Structures are given as C-alpha cells and as structure tokens.
C-alpha cells in the first residue's frame, strides 16, 4: 500500500540509449514502487534525475537516476542560451548534479529534449543524440508512472462484481481498497473497511465531494487509468465500513447512469491518470475545449489549466488562476441526451482555421452568490489537420 509521498526510483548507469530504453520499457511494477537495476555502475562526474509527476504539487512521483561517462561528456558539450518562450513537457522535470558544484540544478524538459531553467530562463542545448535519448527515457518513465487507457468494456470483465482492488490517487499517492458492488455503465464501488474509508476521505481533504479525481486502479494486467468521485450515495452493501452508500469509478468510455454519453469531467480525469491529457486536448473540437476549460476551472486544477491555455498570454492565464482560487463552483447547464457528447470537430469546422464558441455558465464564488453569465472563447489552428488552440477567453 502506498503512502502519501511515495517515490519510484530507478538508478541506472549504462552507455547507450537503446539499452536504457529497453530496460525502462521492461519495468512492470506499479508506479510509485521501488525499482532496481543490477548493472555495473560507471564512474562519472555528473548525474541526472528525470522525475514525472502529474502536477507540480503531486506527491506521487516516479524518478529515473542516470550516471554515465556519456552523460558527463554531453553536459560538457552543451551550450547555454536565453529562452523566454518555451514548449515544455508539462509533467517532466530534470535535476542535474555536477561533481564540482555543490547544489543540483533543476530544469524543466522541453519538447525538443533540451533543458530549461525556470528561474533564469536559460536553455541548456544538449547534443542532438543526448536530447533524443532524454526524450525517450522520459516517455518510458511516463508509461511507468501512469495507468493504461483501458476501455470500460474490457475493465468490467477484468474487475467483475465482488472483486476487490486497490485505488491510488494520482496526486497524493494515497491508496485504499474497494470492492465493486454493481454498475453496468461504470463501476459502483465501496471502501472495504473503515480504514479505507478514512484514507479516501483524506484524499478529499476531509469532506466528501462530487468532484472527480484522477486515480490508478490495480488489476492483474497492471495499473488502469480511472476517475472517481468522492460522494457516498445510493445502496450500501458493506455496512461496517463507515461509508454510507457507494461511489463511482469511471474508465475510458464509461458513462453515468443518467446519460448514454461519457461524462466529460470523468473522461478528463481518466486521460490525466493515463498521462494522455495533451492527446485529449489535441483531439477535441472548439466546443469541447470550451467545456473542458470550465470543467478544469471547477476542479481548480492549475496544472491542467496551464496546459489547456498554453497559447494564451501569461498575464491572461494568471487572471484565470486567480479566479479559480475564489470559486465555489462553475458549470455549464446540463446537456440533453440529444445534444451528444463527442469530443471531435464537427463537419462545419473541418476547413476552418479559427472558431468562436459562446458557452453559458452558472458561477458561484466565495464572495459572490450564484449568477448566470457566458464566456466567449476564441480558438485558432495553423492548418486544417492541426489541433485547435485556445487563445482567448472573455467573460
């Protein structure tokens, strides 16, 4: 069972990217669990640690330690330049320790594989072979850290009614056990014991909530990306667990009992648990991106907000981050079943390079009571086959 701050570590020292990648992809243990490597450790004057976390605040972390002569050579050959605007791999950080320096230097990883210092906006330009290697290693570590994107049709066979399994919160790293009791459109589950109920309530900050959380579900086939809510409701089949009712766990493509379409907020968190947020955003239509923006605000997730709004000016993003901190709730009106639930662009948008979406919402803040308003979203893309990017939101 994982604790609140569980770190997965893979210490390696080896010479080629191909062998490193093969080693990493061979890892089959759960994210957050200790990993080891029996290879011979090389003597080197530099070491590097790649870390993957779902957000900057997440306690659950998987790390990969690298120490090699090749790494030392690559770092010595690196050049430094100033870089104000960068495109980052949002969940990957890198720590570099040089033997002659007392403190390690912390970097973010760019999509090119280069390393960027957030404090000084300095870019470390690595030799192309080294940057490619780091990208492959980071992607292998991400596959280890996140759950598999397994469809609900498969999961309901793998985890049948009365099965018992572990659920791990992707942010806190806390784990608890549940039993699936029912559910045809998603899994209706209950904490197994009072201790499991206490851990679940701790994940939700001590108060039950309908808000979705990205979780990893343990199965015999590995860890599965999922989303849970934290509100007891409905029937109660384990009366001694201190949990009055059941709660819901959703998987890829599952739906609520009230709709034939997947719940957008749950699917957002499933993609987060699978490390596939960017893929979700890249495939979404402007209308769905607008809805996702409101869902992200309601869940007060700054990391996802910045990823969704990465093409917006920083000053504008900061305003939305500040608003998010004051929210009690924000939502759009419930959709009718006939309105559909797709994420992909409709035929009218296939050739367009810009789009406008107006979305009615209901908002409640800590200082202002419930009110109805609307947000206007502007989207652009560089070509008809390119993903849509949010560039402006106006209240």
């Amino acid at each position: 069972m994982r604790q609140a701050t569980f770190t997965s570590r893979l210490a390696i020292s080896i010479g080629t990217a191909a062998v490193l990648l093969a080693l990493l992809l061979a890892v089959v243990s759960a994210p957050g669990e200790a990993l080891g490597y029996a290879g011979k450790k090389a003597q080197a004057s530099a070491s590097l640690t790649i870390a993957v976390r779902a957000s900057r605040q997440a306690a659950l972390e998987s790390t990969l330690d690298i120490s090699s002569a090749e790494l030392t050579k690559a770092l010595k050959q690196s050049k430094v330049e100033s870089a104000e605007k960068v495109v980052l791999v949002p969940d990957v950080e890198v720590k570099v320790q040089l033997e002659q320096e007392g403190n390690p230097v912390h970097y973010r990883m760019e999509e090119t594989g280069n390393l960027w210092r957030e404090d000084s906006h300095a870019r470390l330009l690595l030799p192309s072979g080294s940057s490619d290697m780091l990208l492959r290693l980071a992607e292998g570590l991400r596959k280890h850290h996140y759950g598999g994107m397994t469809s609900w049709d498969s999961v309901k066979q793998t985890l049948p009614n009365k099965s018992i399994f572990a659920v791990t919160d992707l942010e806190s790293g806390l784990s608890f056990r549940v039993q699936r009791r029912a559910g045809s459109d998603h899994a209706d589950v209950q904490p197994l014991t009072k201790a499991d109920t206490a851990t679940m309530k701790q994940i939700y900050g001590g108060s039950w909530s309908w808000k979705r959380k990205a979780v990893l579900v343990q199965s015999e086939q590995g860890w599965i990306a999922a989303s849970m809510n934290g509100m007891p409701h409905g029937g109660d089949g384990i009366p001694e667990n201190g949990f009055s009712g059941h709660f819901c766990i959703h998987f890829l493509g599952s739906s609520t009992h009230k709709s034939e379409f997947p719940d957008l907020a749950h699917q957002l968190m499933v993609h987060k648990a699978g490390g596939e947020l960017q893929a979700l955003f890249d495939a979404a239509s402007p209308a769905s991106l607008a809805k996702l923006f409101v869902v992200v605000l309601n869940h007060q997730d700054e990391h996802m907000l910045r990823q969704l709004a990465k093409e917006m000016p920083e000053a504008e993003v900061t305003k939305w981050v500040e608003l998010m901190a004051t929210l009690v709730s924000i939502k759009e009106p419930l959709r009718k079943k006939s309105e559909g639930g797709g994420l992909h662009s409709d035929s009218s948008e296939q050739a367009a390079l810009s789009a406008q979406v107006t979305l009615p919402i209901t908002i409640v803040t800590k200082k202002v009571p419930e009110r109805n308003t609307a947000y206007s979203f502007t989207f652009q893309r560089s070509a008809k086959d390119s993903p849509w990017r949010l560039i402006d939101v106006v209240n």
Side-chain angles (χ1 to χ4, degrees):
M1 196 69 65
R2 290 199 192 94
Q3 301 302 313
T5 54
F6 214 118
T7 303
S8 160
R9 303 197 66 82
L10 175 59
I12 59 175
S13 174
I14 210 162
T16 67
V19 178
L20 285 169
L21 187 60
L23 169 66
L24 197 60
L25 293 180
V27 172
V28 295
S29 56
E33 293 181 354
L35 306 173
Y37 176 62
K40 182 179 179 182
K41 186 158 185 173
Q43 298 299 316
S45 58
S47 63
L48 180 148
T49 299
I50 304 174
V52 173
R53 291 184 293 169
S55 71
R56 304 295 294 279
Q57 294 76 38
L60 185 66
E61 178 183 66
S62 294
T63 62
L64 173 65
D65 295 334
I66 308 170
S67 179
S68 72
E70 287 79 4
L71 172 64
T72 301
K73 182 179 179 181
L75 291 171
K76 287 181 178 179
Q77 292 176 346
S78 300
K79 298 179 181 179
V80 179
E81 66 178 18
S82 178
E84 294 294 326
K85 184 70 173 178
V86 294
V87 181
L88 298 170
V89 182
D91 54 0
V92 177
E93 299 179 10
V94 178
K95 180 176 67 177
V96 175
Q97 176 70 65
L98 298 176
E99 190 177 73
Q100 65 269 27
E101 296 184 5
N103 297 319
V105 182
H106 294 267
Y107 294 93
R108 305 288 302 278
M109 179 176 283
E110 296 184 56
E111 289 186 354
T112 59
N114 290 314
L115 304 179
W116 182 71
R117 288 190 64 170
E118 196 167 15
D119 56 352
S120 63
H121 292 184
R123 171 184 288 144
L124 190 64
L125 287 165
L126 297 168
S128 60
S130 299
S131 58
D132 291 343
M133 179 190 76
L134 288 182
L135 282 173
R136 291 195 294 270
L137 290 172
E139 184 55 30
L141 189 61
R142 293 183 77 258
K143 290 181 183 298
H144 161 74
H145 185 77
Y146 295 107
M149 297 291 287
T150 307
S151 71
W152 168 236
D153 286 341
S154 296
V155 173
K156 62 186 176 183
Q157 304 301 323
T158 303
L159 300 172
N161 285 345
K162 301 302 189 294
S163 60
I164 295 171
F165 49 90
V167 177
T168 298
D169 176 36
L170 194 65
E171 288 288 327
S172 68
L174 289 168
S175 292
F176 63 102
R177 295 170 300 161
V178 302
Q179 183 180 51
R180 182 184 170 196
R181 303 292 301 183
S184 58
D185 299 315
H186 56 262
D188 291 335
V189 304
Q190 297 179 37
L192 202 59
T193 67
K194 287 183 178 180
D196 293 310
T197 296
T199 300
M200 181 183 173
K201 197 166 189 177
Q202 183 181 350
I203 290 171
Y204 274 92
S207 299
W208 298 125
S209 171
W210 285 107
K211 288 186 177 179
R212 284 60 164 142
K213 284 189 177 291
V215 295
L216 305 175
V217 165
Q218 187 181 29
S219 76
E220 292 181 355
Q221 284 73 39
W223 291 86
I224 303 172
S227 169
M228 71 176 185
N229 63 42
M231 181 60 71
H233 63 281
D236 186 359
I238 310 179
E240 301 301 320
N241 65 354
F243 191 91
S244 181
H246 66 266
F247 70 99
C248 305
I249 297 182
H250 282 247
F251 299 85
L252 183 66
S254 62
S255 62
T256 65
H257 296 307
K258 296 180 180 180
S259 173
E260 60 187 285
F261 301 107
D263 178 83
L264 195 60
H266 273 306
Q267 293 306 302
L268 175 70
M269 293 302 175
V270 170
H271 282 76
K272 177 179 176 178
E276 295 290 343
L277 274 179
Q278 194 58 57
L280 175 69
F281 296 156
D282 286 350
S285 67
S288 291
L289 285 171
K291 297 173 188 294
L292 285 167
F293 185 88
V294 174
V295 170
V296 168
L297 285 180
N298 190 52
H299 284 75
Q300 297 174 303
D301 193 315
E302 180 179 346
H303 182 83
M304 283 199 290
L305 179 69
R306 290 188 175 278
Q307 192 169 347
L308 181 58
K310 62 183 180 181
E311 296 298 325
M312 290 175 57
E314 175 59 27
E316 291 300 312
V317 176
T318 299
K319 291 180 182 178
W320 289 103
V321 171
E322 292 172 349
L323 170 67
M324 192 165 57
T326 71
L327 287 174
V328 174
S329 70
I330 182 171
K331 59 185 178 181
E332 60 164 318
L334 291 175
R335 288 176 292 164
K336 299 177 181 178
K337 286 188 176 183
S338 60
E339 291 178 332
L343 284 168
H344 299 280
S345 300
D346 60 38
S347 58
S348 64
E349 297 167 345
Q350 288 182 358
L353 299 182
S354 63
Q356 294 276 342
V357 174
T358 299
L359 192 67
I361 63 161
T362 300
I363 183 171
V364 182
T365 68
K366 295 174 182 177
K367 295 184 178 180
V368 180
E370 179 175 299
R371 63 189 177 93
N372 295 318
T373 183
Y375 288 168
S376 177
F377 300 81
T378 302
F379 299 91
Q380 288 185 353
R381 58 181 174 178
S382 57
K384 66 178 184 179
D385 295 326
S386 299
W388 291 101
R389 296 294 183 234
L390 176 62
I391 63 170
D392 191 30
V393 186
V394 177
N395 183 0

